[in-house]
Amino acid sequence: MSYRTEHIRAQFPILQQQVYGQALVYFDNAATTQKPGVVIEALAAYYEKQNANIHRGVHYLSQKATDAFEETRSLVKDFIHAEHRHEIIFTRGTTESINLVASSFRKAFLKPGDEIILSMMEHHSNIVPWQMACETSGAKIRVIPVTESGCLDLDAYRALITDRTRLVAVTHVSNTLGTINPIKEIIATAHQHNIPVLIDGAQAVAHLKVDVQTLGCDFYCFSGHKMYAPMGVGVLYGKEGILNALPPYQGGGEMIKNVSFERTTYNELPFKFEAGTPNVGDVIGLGKAIEWLEQTGIENIAAHEHELLAYATRKLEECGEIRFFGTAPLKAAVISFLISDLHPYDAGTILDRLGIAIRTGNHCTQPLIDHYGIPGTMRASFAAYNTKEEIDRMMEAILKVKQMFA
Amino acid sequence: MNIKEAEEQIMEEFSHFSDWMDRYNYIIELGKSLPVIDPQYKTEQYLISGCQSQVWLHARYEEGKIVFTADSDAIITKGIVNLLIRVLSGQSPEDIINADMKYIDSIGLRDHLSPTRSNGLLAMIKQMKLYAVVFKAREGR
Ligand SMILES: Cc1ncc(COP(=O)(O)O)c(C=O)c1O
């Protein structure tokens, strides 16, 4: 296989720019990836040639926009290998997908004393919606601990399951540690007890092949903007059966069948969960991003990122005085570290001035960062277009930081 | 030294630096030389929120002047706090309230003043001025 990074880089207009007079090194891909030209062009083309409200007009443009929107639903279905198109619900992103499930699941199923299992490494968006659901239902949260290397403690997980457990919600890939969790096993364990499982796939979909039927998860959530698509669009996958058992999330147009002041009946899946005018342009952009990912090949991208991860890890080890957070055997495209006792904010400020964009702080995983007893980490996260030369530049910058703070 | 003189002294020091690296090296120096705060004030109560790094700020009122001491877990933040303390500590509440803090701009730290910056420089200035308002109100009673 020949993977030509120059060829890929050339497709991303933003990477051609300079910051502070230097070529930009963009290592904040876990926060959001850059967008290839085809996605940007698709957005412009939609507003230039297709824009209309969907599912309601008999006119030409509305039909065209509806077709393009529904075509993306099919692309997403194939992308994650769902069984049915109507199991794909468009949302604003992972956060909204999880809020939708937490809110509707609470209404349908949660009672005082019930339990929800989360993990120590969850993003705030897979913690807070559940806390809100618990507040109004009287249910409680149980937390799977992480081991020293940043893996989930599966023995502890099994011990947490009780006859009050109503749902398990864990992340596929940790945005702070890079750990790829053994979710297939986690799901199978929960299913032995008839407990549904929600997977936060925000950090997974752009880095590894996801097959929701093989995994068996009941819900799978992800954001477009972390997989080369525009911001403002995301996906909730849910199994048909459980989606049908949940009440709607928001009310409005699209999600109804019949409205009268006496009684309103709800529409079928997926429309029941898509109240109001959806984000048609960005959904179409998401479709383009999926096509781009499949043409480039997720396996090729994964192999490339893995090489970058191994290279960066080795370079940082050689550099000395680096403390790594997250050394699981299976990792995806994320490397979190500190330079001895240096505050990540200090290091990040200087790296920024040297044209290196990494992320510093708690990465919206405060419980995990508190668990390690540190102020945060420096996180470099890679994507299809990053190169070893960029890692070399980061290493030079880290050397400079070490000198400055010596 | 009044506020204006302290500001001028700092601007003079920064006028020797031609690039950002020299400026940051100096801020790091200032961070290392920030007078230590009494450890009893490094608690939640004195913590300023709105910063990616933690900042503790203590103020006491002595003979019509406010004396600030502070600390942070990040050195650059400490350096920036030092620049604020050099100007505002030992001044009267009235003068602190009226200080326009424009020198921050002219020493090339304008970026740090934007409300979206996570270092919380703005939050620190606000907190210092808040102390001044409180001490002034108490004095007036
Ligand atoms: C693991 C994980 N879950 C959820 C989210 C939230 O995604 P979004 O902000 O796109 O809704 C993120 C992104 O920051 C993430 O990394």
Side-chain angles (χ1 to χ4, degrees):
Chain A
M1 172 211 71
S2 79
Y3 184 91
R4 289 190 33 239
T5 320
E6 324 85 82
H7 174 66
I8 289 180
R9 284 187 80 78
Q11 299 174 53
F12 288 79
I14 206 169
L15 298 177
Q16 321 309 322
Q17 92 185 291
Q18 299 209 324
V19 294
Y20 305 115
Q22 302 155 88
L24 166 68
V25 173
Y26 186 78
F27 281 167
D28 195 15
N29 294 289
T32 197
T33 60
Q34 300 304 344
K35 323 301 172 199
V38 286
V39 169
I40 300 167
E41 285 152 23
L43 284 182
Y46 170 73
Y47 288 108
E48 280 166 12
K49 302 196 185 89
Q50 286 187 324
N51 177 52
N53 211 326
I54 59 167
H55 296 141
R56 344 187 154 176
V58 290
H59 59 80
Y60 176 81
L61 276 187
S62 176
Q63 285 296 336
K64 260 180 82 169
T66 305
D67 290 349
F69 182 83
E70 289 303 328
E71 165 68 16
T72 302
R73 206 186 299 277
S74 302
L75 285 171
V76 174
K77 168 194 167 278
D78 293 339
F79 179 62
I80 60 171
H81 196 232
E83 191 177 353
H84 305 293
R85 290 183 71 245
H86 57 255
E87 293 175 323
I88 306 299
I89 292 154
F90 290 117
T91 63
R92 276 194 308 126
T94 311
T95 302
E96 192 178 50
S97 299
I98 297 173
N99 273 279
L100 188 164
V101 177
S103 164
S104 295
F105 193 88
R106 169 187 65 78
K107 287 185 216 147
F109 299 117
L110 289 184
K111 301 203 173 50
D114 284 350
E115 295 172 1
I116 307 262
I117 296 181
L118 310 178
S119 90
M120 176 75 91
M121 64 170 80
E122 296 313 309
H123 189 278
H124 296 163
S125 65
N126 198 24
I127 299 175
V128 184
W130 300 112
Q131 286 175 327
M132 290 162 69
C134 287
E135 238 166 60
T136 43
S137 67
K140 293 196 230 28
I141 288 170
R142 293 280 173 268
V143 183
I144 310 169
V146 294
T147 65
E148 191 58 34
S149 65
C151 295
L152 292 181
D153 180 340
L154 294 186
D155 288 334
Y157 163 56
R158 280 184 284 267
L160 282 175
I161 295 177
T162 70
D163 57 1
R164 297 310 303 265
T165 310
R166 292 291 167 265
L167 183 118
V168 175
V170 292
T171 194
H172 196 166
V173 174
S174 161
N175 65 311
T176 300
L177 305 172
T179 314
I180 303 175
N181 288 318
I183 56 167
K184 197 169 172 195
E185 196 180 330
I186 289 170
I187 294 161
T189 303
H191 283 180
Q192 280 163 15
H193 303 267
N194 292 318
I195 301 164
V197 180
L198 175 142
I199 300 296
D200 173 351
Q203 295 296 339
V205 280
H207 307 285
L208 42 97
K209 190 80 201 122
V210 171
D211 182 329
V212 290
Q213 290 187 74
T214 309
L215 290 170
C217 54
D218 301 270
F219 302 103
Y220 196 95
C221 308
F222 58 97
S223 300
H225 72 95
K226 294 180 195 287
M227 50 177 283
Y228 310 98
M231 289 187 171
V233 55
V235 169
L236 167 65
Y237 156 82
K239 278 185 188 160
E240 179 181 34
I242 196 159
L243 283 179
N244 275 325
L246 296 183
Y249 176 48
Q250 294 178 325
E254 288 279 310
M255 55 77 72
I256 41 79
K257 199 175 261 162
N258 261 301
V259 177
S260 72
F261 283 106
E262 289 70 41
R263 201 176 103 86
T264 290
T265 52
Y266 302 128
N267 207 337
E268 291 157 8
L269 292 177
F271 310 112
K272 174 176 139 185
F273 291 109
E274 291 180 353
T277 300
N279 186 352
V280 183
D282 290 323
V283 164
I284 290 169
L286 172 64
K288 275 288 161 209
I290 289 175
E291 284 174 1
W292 182 86
L293 267 168
E294 291 190 330
Q295 275 157 22
T296 312
I298 290 220
E299 286 85 357
N300 298 340
I301 295 174
H304 172 70
E305 289 171 348
H306 200 78
E307 224 175 277
L308 294 177
L309 189 63
Y311 184 75
T313 307
R314 196 176 79 236
K315 288 283 164 183
L316 283 165
E317 274 166 0
E318 284 168 11
C319 162
E321 294 178 84
I322 301 290
R323 297 155 67 194
F324 292 94
F325 298 90
T327 50
L330 278 178
K331 280 185 56 171
V334 170
I335 186 160
S336 243
F337 60 96
L338 286 174
I339 305 170
S340 59
D341 287 329
L342 192 59
H343 198 286
Y345 173 75
D346 283 328
T349 302
I350 302 301
L351 288 187
D352 167 57
R353 293 301 315 222
L354 292 165
I356 318 284
I358 59 150
R359 182 65 158 255
T360 61
N362 66 30
H363 320 297
C364 297
T365 56
Q366 208 182 322
L368 179 68
I369 293 296
D370 288 348
H371 166 74
Y372 282 105
I374 49 176
T377 73
M378 302 164 66
R379 180 188 73 185
S381 52
F382 308 122
Y385 38 71
N386 290 126
T387 64
K388 287 185 183 168
E389 291 71 36
E390 289 180 305
I391 292 171
D392 291 340
R393 268 194 56 202
M394 178 178 80
M395 294 313 302
E396 278 168 34
I398 286 174
L399 273 183
K400 186 133 270 160
V401 168
K402 282 173 111 177
Q403 284 162 7
M404 285 178 79
F405 289 94
Chain B
M1 215 184 296
N2 63 28
I3 287 187
K4 193 156 173 291
E5 287 159 353
E7 287 180 349
E8 270 164 11
Q9 193 182 59
I10 289 170
M11 288 193 284
E12 205 276 324
E13 289 164 13
F14 274 79
S15 70
H16 302 296
F17 306 133
S18 52
D19 69 355
W20 69 270
M21 186 89 84
D22 292 340
R23 277 204 299 275
Y24 272 103
N25 275 323
Y26 190 56
I27 291 169
I28 291 166
E29 284 305 307
L30 289 169
K32 289 177 178 164
S33 63
L34 178 70
V36 289
I37 192 174
D38 190 329
Q40 65 167 315
Y41 300 128
K42 282 179 72 170
T43 58
E44 190 78 29
Q45 191 190 341
Y46 296 98
L47 203 58
I48 298 178
S49 58
C51 320
Q52 220 189 72
S53 49
Q54 306 197 72
V55 180
W56 298 269
L57 178 70
H58 177 259
R60 62 176 196 275
Y61 198 45
E62 268 173 17
E63 295 162 14
K65 313 274 188 205
I66 301 177
V67 178
F68 290 108
T69 52
D71 198 1
S72 170
D73 53 354
I75 299 172
I76 290 177
T77 312
K78 264 171 96 163
I80 290 171
V81 177
N82 199 346
L83 287 169
L84 298 180
I85 286 188
R86 277 178 60 188
V87 170
L88 296 181
S89 188
Q91 310 292 348
S92 71
E94 184 77 30
D95 288 348
I96 294 170
I97 292 166
N98 292 328
D100 65 11
M101 310 305 282
K102 281 212 179 97
Y103 74 104
I104 298 282
D105 218 356
S106 50
I107 59 176
L109 291 179
R110 187 206 210 113
D111 280 2
H112 289 271
L113 267 183
S114 114
T116 53
R117 275 271 154 165
S118 42
N119 64 38
L121 176 57
L122 220 50
M124 290 182 237
I125 295 173
K126 232 163 112 183
Q127 191 63 31
M128 290 170 122
K129 291 199 170 220
L130 201 63
Y131 271 119
V133 170
V134 170
F135 284 125
K136 184 164 183 252
R138 279 197 203 154
E139 196 180 42
R141 272 204 304 243

